[in-house]
Each structure stands twice: as C-alpha cells, then as structure tokens.
Amino acid sequence: MYEYDLQQIRSAELIRRADEERLARAAVRGRRAARREAAQWLPRGESHTHRLRRLRLTRAA
C-alpha cells in the first residue's frame, strides 16, 4: 500500500511539472509572436535598439 501511495504522489508531481513546462513554453511562444508582430511595424533596416553598430573584429594595422 505504501508503494502505491508513493507512485500516486510521483505521478501527480510529474503531471504538475509537465503542466508548468507547457505553460512556460506557451508564454515563450506568445512573447516571440509579440516581438515578431512589433518588428513588422518597424521600417526596414531599423533596429529595435538605438545603439550604433560596432565592428565585432578589431581593425588590422
């Protein structure tokens, strides 16, 4: 009987974790879709930041 109770607790915990992970993935998908939609309204070539682009490599001497 004790093992059965432990199995029920483990099963409930796994189901709860799966629900939390599913909810987290849905939130990420929603944020990603919102960013895509917001980017759709920006003029072409305009970045979401206002910083100047820096070269990633140093210039050769």
Side-chain angles (χ1 to χ4, degrees):
M1 194 70 171
Y2 183 70
E3 287 91 13
Y4 178 77
D5 292 336
L6 284 178
Q7 177 59 32
Q8 294 296 90
I9 292 169
R10 283 190 203 114
S11 177
E13 177 66 19
L14 287 174
I15 290 170
R16 187 184 62 77
R17 282 188 192 174
D19 287 340
E20 287 176 355
E21 289 177 13
R22 199 173 302 119
L23 184 63
R25 283 193 305 267
V28 168
R29 268 195 307 270
R31 285 194 302 261
R32 201 175 290 150
R35 276 197 311 264
R36 262 189 254 121
E37 188 174 330
Q40 184 179 21
W41 298 104
L42 286 176
R44 255 326 200 204
E46 186 177 322
S47 176
H48 64 282
T49 63
H50 299 290
R51 292 185 290 168
L52 297 174
R53 288 185 61 109
R54 289 187 287 165
L55 296 175
R56 295 205 181 267
L57 302 174
T58 57
R59 295 183 182 175

